[in-house]
Amino acid sequence: MRLTRTPPAVLALVALYCVFSIYAAYHVFFGRHRRAPAATSRGSRKAAAAAAQAKERLGRERSALESEEWNPWEEDEKNEQQHRVKTNLQILNKSTKEKIEHRVQIWGKAAIGLYLWEHIFEGTLDPADVTAQWRGGYSIVGRTHYSFITGPAVLPGYFSIHVDNVVLVLNGREKAKIVHATQWLLYAQNLMRTQKLRHLAVVLLGNEYCDNDWIVRFLRRNGGFVDLLFLTYDSPWINGVDVLQWPLGVATYRKFPVAEASWSMLHDERPYICNFLGTAYANSSRQTLLNILKQDGSDKLCWVSAREQWQPQETNESLKNYQDALLQSDLTLCPVGVNTECYRIYEACSFGSVPVVEDVMTAGYCGNTSTHHRAPLQLLKAMDAPFIFIKNWKELPAILEKEKTLTLQEKIQRRKMLLQWYQHFKTELKWKFTSILESSFFMNNKG
């Protein structure tokens, strides 16, 4: 057999191919392992950078927690809030599926209307200027769309009525206010007769002695046209059907603000055990309270500022002093005035200062403890208000002595519970108000 001689150039190409193949195989099987340390080094740098970013982010989150926007009960209420949101979404989804939308207009002709709108409904008003002649806002609760109007320019016959279901907020505390409230009711009655209105509810700041007979003739059960009456104070009229109890709330007429919970409100050491800023009427339990504080020397541990005559208006300075007293005291003393229920109770809750409430019936027609076992303050007691209730201010020295033994952590937990309760109280009122209104105005509507 004849062999053909291979040219040298071909042999060179084959040799070069073999060398390249060996080099490629070397990198495939060994090159990765040799480069691994470099890759790990880059990974370490990336991990270190990620850790630094995470640390920075954590710092920002901690800083946010310490800011004034912090929600002090966010963690503990997380599950409850999720459940509430889920429930509210279910209600909203149900109403959407049913394609039912109710519209109610609220006419705020008493300062208590601002407590309803801004504190309970958490609604806003435009313009924000409290001295504006006309202010309004909107809110949706459940299946009901609410519009709210207030201000001096809101007068009978001088504003547009876009709905036929109205809540009228009135002041019936004294004769002059009753005259004004009656004019509004007569205006609403005329709208009923001309079929411009179909349903009317009234939120009434009642008389402190519970003498509200003037409004009886306007109630539907007595041949009138008012479907529902939401009434302040412990009136014996309260039946849970067409007459319902409503809280007095904070003194919005004194420009008491919507207070937002903050880290400092919850965690700071408060320099005063208690506070009382108010009018000390002669021969009243308030005078007794002041005497007990002086005898015991506790007036040096409490922020006390008493005046002899009631002042209807606040100055910017006096309002600031009052808010500072609430914010810097662990307890707020709430002696009775003309009525057991007072603005101070709700204002103390707003700032996490526990109300110490004089739990006695006052003179008038508000009922008695023999027939109303939870009176006075039935609404607050029914919702398990975490207050300190006393029958006599002689009990106060023992309460203050116990207060001295509490640690800051114990006080923080108590403040937290009070703020949680007050938020729950307002939320429950909002939903109960809407539920009763929808049931009365719409579900039982017979045309």
Side-chain angles (χ1 to χ4, degrees):
M1 184 176 65
R2 184 177 178 180
L3 296 175
T4 304
R5 186 178 177 182
T6 305
V10 175
L11 291 174
L13 288 173
V14 172
L16 183 61
Y17 177 79
C18 292
V19 171
F20 180 80
S21 298
I22 293 171
Y23 179 80
Y26 176 83
H27 279 276
V28 169
F29 293 103
F30 301 102
R32 290 180 183 175
H33 299 289
R34 292 184 64 181
R35 286 195 300 267
T40 302
S41 176
R42 288 196 297 270
S44 298
R45 288 196 296 271
K46 289 181 180 179
Q53 291 175 357
K55 185 176 181 180
E56 182 182 355
R57 185 170 60 254
L58 180 60
R60 290 197 300 268
E61 290 171 352
R62 286 178 177 172
S63 177
L65 283 174
E66 294 173 0
S67 72
E68 292 300 310
E69 297 299 324
W70 177 73
N71 180 356
W73 52 80
E74 185 171 6
E75 278 190 33
D76 289 356
E77 277 204 324
K78 185 176 181 180
N79 292 334
E80 181 182 348
Q81 288 176 352
Q82 288 176 344
H83 174 71
R84 189 181 300 135
V85 169
K86 183 178 179 180
T87 302
N88 293 349
L89 284 175
Q90 289 174 346
I91 295 174
L92 186 60
N93 290 337
K94 182 179 178 182
S95 66
T96 303
K97 290 178 181 178
E98 294 175 350
K99 297 181 180 180
I100 296 175
E101 183 182 32
H102 307 311
R103 294 187 177 272
V104 174
Q105 193 170 41
I106 303 176
W107 303 345
K109 292 310 299 176
I112 194 173
L114 295 178
Y115 182 70
L116 182 156
W117 187 252
E118 295 185 300
H119 293 253
I120 294 179
F121 272 62
E122 298 179 306
T124 58
L125 288 173
D126 184 35
D129 181 8
V130 296
T131 63
Q133 292 293 301
W134 176 284
R135 305 174 75 198
Y138 302 91
S139 181
I140 297 176
V141 182
R143 296 175 297 176
T144 302
H145 178 279
Y146 290 96
S147 58
F148 182 88
I149 57 172
T150 189
V154 181
L155 298 171
Y158 286 87
F159 63 96
S160 300
I161 303 171
H162 301 292
V163 299
D164 54 7
N165 305 291
V166 166
V167 175
L168 179 56
V169 186
L170 299 172
N171 185 339
R173 177 167 280 184
E174 55 193 35
K175 288 184 178 179
K177 301 294 185 183
I178 291 172
V179 170
H180 187 252
T182 300
Q183 291 174 350
W184 272 98
L185 287 169
L186 293 175
Y187 171 63
Q189 185 178 43
N190 184 57
L191 293 175
M192 288 277 190
R193 288 172 177 168
T194 57
Q195 298 184 345
K196 293 181 179 179
L197 285 186
R198 298 179 67 186
H199 298 287
L200 180 75
V202 171
V203 177
L204 180 65
L205 175 60
N207 177 268
E208 291 178 278
Y209 295 102
C210 298
D211 183 7
N212 303 302
D213 288 349
W214 65 273
I215 201 172
V216 170
R217 65 189 179 98
F218 294 106
L219 301 182
R220 188 172 294 280
R221 59 173 158 159
N222 297 320
F225 54 91
V226 175
D227 296 280
L228 295 169
L229 175 62
F230 295 87
L231 184 61
T232 59
Y233 303 120
D234 289 280
S235 171
W237 295 3
I238 307 297
N239 57 22
V241 181
D242 64 335
V243 183
L244 303 108
Q245 191 164 3
W246 193 249
L248 181 62
V250 304
T252 54
Y253 74 96
R254 289 176 178 262
K255 301 179 183 178
F256 192 88
V258 178
E260 296 292 339
S262 65
W263 178 277
S264 59
M265 183 187 292
L266 189 66
H267 285 85
D268 283 359
E269 185 78 65
R270 301 192 178 192
Y272 299 97
I273 291 181
C274 67
N275 77 80
F276 173 69
L277 283 71
T279 308
Y281 304 103
N283 302 317
S284 69
S285 66
R286 296 186 175 195
Q287 192 63 58
T288 301
L289 165 61
L290 293 176
N291 291 337
I292 289 174
L293 286 173
K294 290 178 182 178
Q295 292 171 6
D296 189 58
S298 296
D299 57 332
K300 298 180 178 61
L301 303 174
C302 299
W303 186 327
V304 178
S305 178
R307 57 181 178 241
E308 294 182 358
Q309 292 185 339
W310 178 73
Q311 297 175 2
Q313 298 299 326
E314 292 275 12
T315 64
N316 291 335
E317 182 181 0
S318 64
L319 180 60
K320 183 180 185 304
N321 285 339
Y322 179 57
Q323 293 181 43
D324 287 346
L326 296 175
L327 190 57
Q328 297 181 35
S329 305
D330 290 303
L331 306 176
T332 293
L333 308 181
C334 303
V336 298
V338 178
N339 193 283
T340 305
E341 189 174 7
C342 62
Y343 298 113
R344 185 179 288 104
I345 293 173
Y346 302 92
E347 293 162 351
C349 290
S350 298
F351 282 84
S353 182
V354 178
V356 181
V357 181
E358 186 177 7
D359 187 17
V360 296
M361 289 296 301
T362 46
Y365 306 97
C366 297
N368 57 71
T369 54
S370 61
T371 56
H372 302 86
H373 69 282
R374 282 192 169 182
L377 306 175
Q378 296 180 79
L379 179 61
L380 294 169
K381 291 175 181 176
M383 297 186 72
D384 299 319
F387 303 165
I388 299 174
F389 293 97
I390 64 173
K391 294 296 183 182
N392 193 302
W393 287 112
K394 293 180 180 179
E395 302 172 41
L396 183 60
I399 292 172
L400 298 182
E401 284 300 316
K402 181 179 178 181
E403 196 69 18
K404 295 175 185 177
T405 67
L406 297 181
T407 66
L408 177 59
Q409 189 59 39
E410 289 173 324
K411 293 176 182 178
I412 288 172
Q413 290 302 317
R414 186 176 62 183
R415 292 175 203 164
K416 190 174 185 179
M417 181 176 67
L418 177 62
L419 291 168
Q420 284 180 328
W421 174 85
Y422 188 49
Q423 182 60 44
H424 175 73
F425 172 78
K426 293 185 291 183
T427 301
E428 284 294 303
L429 280 176
K430 177 174 66 176
W431 284 101
K432 286 182 179 179
F433 181 89
T434 295
S435 175
I436 292 168
L437 212 64
E438 289 182 355
S439 177
S440 176
F441 282 14
F442 311 113
M443 294 183 184
N444 297 325
N445 186 13
K446 298 181 181 179

